[in-house]
Amino acid sequence: MTVPIVVASLDSLNQTVTTDNSSVVQLLSDHLRGTTAMPTLHGTANFSGVIVETTPGSSVRIQAVSPTILQAFPNSSSHSFHFVYHTRLCERGEITLPLSCFLCPQNTFSLQSSDSYCHECPSYASCPGGSALVLDRGYWRASDQTREVLRCPNPEACAGGDNATCAAGYSGAPVSYTHLTLPTNREV
């Protein structure tokens, strides 16, 4: 996950030292990729391209170190500090990979973040990506959270769509239907 991390040089009053344009700050952790050493500009070092690689939903301990401040103030302990970065859990429409979340691309979908792969879009729907499953007219499901899809005996009664509701003038679940289950065994 790409994360913006900003580290500031603070004085004894916890104010940013805006005149600091020469310090260098390094981020240390086995879970970081990208540029992990940055010069300060007006007292801040902006690590906008750092990638934290860890299991979604976990925490990473990161150390920020300034060798420049250590060299200028060798007896100070304020040249280094630790902080914990918490990663988010994967969301619906994403699948959980070992080190990241992956958004299902167009023509695939995932209704649960615990899925290990994105499912192929069924022939009776369109899938713009993520968790979106837009059913064709003539198909119905109770909610956008369920994998159970019904083929309506009267195609005009089922509007299809993202939430697959009944067409105008109709209500409730189809009484007589063909039961379909969204694919679970085909990896895309």
Side-chain angles (χ1 to χ4, degrees):
M1 298 177 185
T2 304
V3 295
I5 297 174
V6 178
V7 178
S9 298
L10 303 177
D11 63 17
S12 61
L13 300 174
N14 280 338
Q15 297 174 333
T16 302
V17 182
T18 58
T19 57
D20 183 4
N21 293 313
S22 61
S23 294
V24 173
V25 177
Q26 292 178 304
L27 298 180
L28 305 174
S29 173
D30 291 339
H31 298 277
L32 299 179
R33 275 194 315 117
T35 304
T36 57
M38 294 294 291
T40 56
L41 179 62
H42 305 294
T44 60
N46 187 344
F47 297 89
S48 59
V50 170
I51 297 171
V52 177
E53 289 186 327
T54 190
T55 305
S58 64
S59 300
V60 173
R61 184 177 165 99
I62 300 173
Q63 182 180 16
V65 178
S66 177
T68 313
I69 293 175
L70 177 61
Q71 186 177 13
F73 304 99
N75 296 325
S76 172
S77 63
S78 61
H79 70 281
S80 171
F81 67 95
H82 292 89
F83 62 95
V84 176
Y85 180 82
H86 303 281
T87 60
R88 69 174 177 84
L89 291 169
C90 296
E91 300 172 351
R92 209 169 150 245
E94 299 175 328
I95 58 171
T96 302
L97 299 177
L99 296 177
S100 66
C101 299
F102 176 76
L103 180 65
C104 290
Q106 186 173 3
N107 299 321
T108 67
F109 71 97
S110 172
L111 298 180
Q112 299 176 344
S113 62
S114 61
D115 285 343
S116 59
Y117 58 89
C118 297
H119 301 279
E120 181 178 357
C121 192
S123 61
Y124 48 83
S126 62
C127 300
S131 64
L133 178 69
V134 184
L135 297 179
D136 294 343
R137 183 173 199 80
Y139 293 88
W140 181 91
R141 62 183 174 153
S143 79
D144 65 355
Q145 309 270 327
T146 183
R147 297 181 60 80
E148 185 178 38
V149 176
L150 308 178
R151 184 181 343 195
C152 301
N154 176 3
E156 296 302 313
C158 300
D162 193 27
N163 206 13
T165 58
C166 296
Y170 296 90
S171 64
V175 176
S176 173
Y177 57 84
T178 302
H179 182 266
L180 305 169
T181 302
L182 295 172
T184 58
N185 60 348
R186 294 200 50 197
E187 190 171 326
V188 177

